[in-house]
Amino acid sequence: MINSMNKKVTINDIASMANVAKSTVSRYLNGGSVSEHTRLKIDRIVEKYNYTPNTFAQSLKQQTNHTVGVIVPRLDSIAQSDMLRGLDELNKEDTFLIINTYQDSNRVLAAIEKLHSQNVGGIILLTANLTDEIRQALTSSPLPIVIQGQDEPNFHRVIMNDIEAGLIVGQYIKTLSPQRVLLLNVDSNIDYAVGHDRFLGIKESLTHIPHQEIITDFKLHLTKKDSYKAMSKQQFDLVVGATDRIVVGAMQSAFALKQHPKFIGFGQSFFSETVSPNLTSFEFDFFETGKALYRLFVKVRDHKPKTVQRQVINGQLIIRESTKKSNH
Amino acid sequence: MINSMNKKVTINDIASMANVAKSTVSRYLNGGSVSEHTRLKIDRIVEKYNYTPNTFAQSLKQQTNHTVGVIVPRLDSIAQSDMLRGLDELNKEDTFLIINTYQDSNRVLAAIEKLHSQNVGGIILLTANLTDEIRQALTSSPLPIVIQGQDEPNFHRVIMNDIEAGLIVGQYIKTLSPQRVLLLNVDSNIDYAVGHDRFLGIKESLTHIPHQEIITDFKLHLTKKDSYKAMSKQQFDLVVGATDRIVVGAMQSAFALKQHPKFIGFGQSFFSETVSPNLTSFEFDFFETGKALYRLFVKVRDHKPKTVQRQVINGQLIIRESTKKSNH
DNA sequence: TTGTACGCGTTATCAA
DNA sequence: TTGATAACGCGTACAA
């Protein structure tokens, strides 16, 4: 192991040390027919120098490679890092080239181009939002591509069942019999799955219950400001946020105003178990989602299915203290 | 842009379309001497087909490349993702190959080997802990390597000034005049910079103040259990944790026990501003740390300094509600 | 079973 | 200024 790192040993070196042709070594390496005798000879040398093939030469020759570009909107999120962990979990021989776009769709476009110029063997795109430019770039790519996050009809994808999530939360809301509900949503142009799908069932459950919907932002301090404004005008006994992060912002506003509504969030995050009270939240298993993504990617890459693949991940409602009778 | 993606155009294609030799195209691409006439000819073709060079062929030829392996203990942490952002910020032409080791030192070793077999041009290692095996692997590598996190004398490194941090926090603790202090530390064998350095100054400030030190863990539920045990035996009026995460665990225990000590943490995390009360914490700027890391890496790679490089990052104490007079 | 020879896309050397 | 040619490390027809 140590030696191998100092001066890259090539297939030629191995060949000459073993007194065989390099093609023999190549066959040895790739499971071709080699006699027992030479096999043992080469074994020793390869072992001794801990030979590893030059991946550049391999990729160049084979016109394909096992590097997969993964475009991710952010890294400091349990959802994203769990998905990456899921990818790692199933992966044996691929290398992931992770590009963080910092939630900027221009960077997504740049990332797609960069990955192409790097000759990756495929792309996995985690995203909340696809622009037409991005769709265009993806469509014109010859690479196997799988996306996650939005239900885009023309792309192989893994999506979260946000519609069902909203329905389940809606049902649960009814059992709480709230008097006045505050909905903290996000712009559906920024994230359709969240802003639209996720809230369909919730709104339906509120047809006969007084409620107010506010469009806020994923950023904590904006959520804090927006919710504070709403909650100081009138008091709510239930707050439903599009994400856990948003709910945490609302919690702080509520505490500042000495209000104690119930809270429901979405997502699997640090927050649900670090805030007091612990947060009732609809959670998806992003680790499994990552595994599903990888499986789908491999399928697309290796079998080139003719029909567009679509896989849906379900989640579950985890009830914690924040919707218990008294939480102050 | 679109065309380029469909069928990789090579330097040969360009050459034959322009009726020149491929070596001429190569010179054109790399700033060699080309006549005005042929330059224009090639310009058009390259533009039209949006030619980009095959990076594998380039790396193979040049025996070096611009891929830098980044080994990171975890991704779902502001500290880590801010450092990565810092790397991105300064980088122009390098590609980062990020490997998450999930805080497992065996995976670090595997990552180092994998990166070598991938022929990366260098390694940046973010770590809390170096084993002898890892030191050995790094030492025997011919690659430029920079580490962050531990003050390892034999490696080029960027470290956080944990000693000074402890002193500053120690000074601040004195101004709070606590009666009984609980220190929640971690095993210095697991993270020396944190477990040892960070607590030097703190302990010094407590020579005349009753205090108890407990060795706990980075994991939230363990911290919760350990701190609950300690706090149910006797009451503390100040809790100092090795990290914000640890303090959050202690906070939950305290609330469960209806105790309201002051809290001080370390680190720059989601937690400090999402828990109530907001957490007083000693914070480092990990974005700047990432930039410093990249600068140091480039320096090491391009200039191969003979002496071991060591750079220290300072932080500052941010005072929030958790050490205010009354926090309940 | 083994070896020779060629090509993958690029850069570099050397003549022309 | 140009172009033919070799070389990077590997895999693979094809021939022996």
Side-chain angles (χ1 to χ4, degrees), chain A residues 67-278:
Chain A
T67 300
V68 181
V70 182
I71 303 176
V72 30
R74 59 186 304 162
L75 286 174
D76 56 345
S77 134
I78 282 203
Q80 305 300 324
S81 77
D82 270 3
M83 277 192 278
L84 294 179
R85 191 161 58 87
L87 294 181
D88 273 348
E89 176 80 5
L90 257 45
N91 171 51
K92 294 207 185 63
E93 50 181 11
D94 289 322
T95 298
F96 296 114
L97 202 53
I98 300 167
I99 300 190
N100 189 343
T101 61
Y102 305 100
Q103 307 181 82
D104 173 352
S105 54
N106 292 322
R107 289 196 191 232
V108 175
L109 213 56
I112 292 172
E113 284 192 55
K114 176 162 188 179
L115 289 173
H116 278 89
S117 81
Q118 300 253 337
N119 305 299
V120 296
I123 294 178
I124 296 175
L125 172 59
L126 315 183
T127 181
N129 187 28
L130 251 58
T131 66
D132 280 338
E133 276 178 307
I134 296 175
R135 287 191 191 92
Q136 174 61 32
L138 295 178
T139 303
S140 64
S141 167
L143 296 176
I145 295 179
V146 169
I147 73 175
Q148 182 276 337
Q150 297 295 313
D151 200 8
E152 288 278 333
N154 296 322
F155 301 99
H156 305 299
R157 60 203 185 275
V158 173
I159 59 170
M160 320 312 285
N161 200 341
D162 279 303
I163 291 183
E164 191 202 56
L167 287 171
I168 291 175
V169 170
Q171 290 305 314
Y172 179 62
I173 288 175
K174 284 188 190 162
T175 71
L176 297 175
S177 309
Q179 299 303 306
R180 184 175 297 275
V181 181
L182 175 61
L183 300 182
L184 295 168
N185 200 351
V186 297
D187 187 343
S188 65
N189 290 318
I190 291 178
D191 190 330
Y192 192 81
V194 171
H196 178 266
D197 294 351
R198 196 172 275 184
F199 274 78
L200 274 182
I202 296 174
K203 287 178 186 167
E204 194 181 307
S205 77
L206 295 178
T207 40
H208 300 300
I209 301 176
H211 63 279
Q212 182 184 354
E213 179 181 7
I214 288 183
I215 304 299
T216 180
D217 190 278
F218 290 107
K219 293 195 186 64
L220 190 62
H221 68 280
L222 290 179
T223 304
K224 242 189 233 184
K225 213 177 71 181
D226 291 342
S227 58
Y228 190 93
K229 199 169 146 196
M231 295 164 82
S232 54
K233 277 199 197 126
Q234 57 179 321
Q235 199 154 345
F236 299 91
D237 63 341
L238 172 63
V239 176
V240 182
T243 70
D244 279 6
R245 194 181 290 257
I246 285 174
V247 175
V248 168
M251 275 187 169
Q252 302 211 355
S253 300
F255 293 157
L257 290 163
K258 314 264 184 222
Q259 298 182 9
H260 298 277
K262 295 187 166 76
F263 294 96
I264 301 178
F266 282 85
Q268 183 193 34
S269 64
F270 304 104
F271 301 126
S272 44
E273 294 189 335
T274 58
V275 293
S276 304
N278 283 185

Side-chain angles (χ1 to χ4, degrees), chain B residues 191-211:
Chain B
D191 190 330
Y192 192 82
V194 172
H196 177 266
D197 294 351
R198 195 172 277 184
F199 274 78
L200 274 182
I202 296 174
K203 287 178 187 167
E204 193 180 308
S205 76
L206 295 178
T207 40
H208 300 300
I209 302 176
H211 64 278

Side-chain angles (χ1 to χ4, degrees), chain A residues 11 22 51 54 58:
Chain A
I11 205 175
K22 66 173 177 179
Y51 166 81
N54 181 316
Q58 280 183 321

Side-chain angles (χ1 to χ4, degrees), chain B residues 106-137:
Chain B
N106 292 323
R107 289 196 191 232
V108 175
L109 213 55
I112 292 172
E113 285 191 54
K114 175 163 189 180
L115 289 173
H116 278 90
S117 81
Q118 300 254 335
N119 305 300
V120 296
I123 294 178
I124 296 175
L125 172 59
L126 315 183
T127 182
N129 187 29
L130 251 58
T131 66
D132 279 338
E133 276 178 307
I134 296 174
R135 287 190 190 91
Q136 174 61 32

Side-chain angles (χ1 to χ4, degrees), chain B residues 11 22 51 53-54 58 61:
Chain B
I11 206 175
K22 63 175 175 180
Y51 165 82
N54 182 317
Q58 280 183 320
K61 179 66 185 171

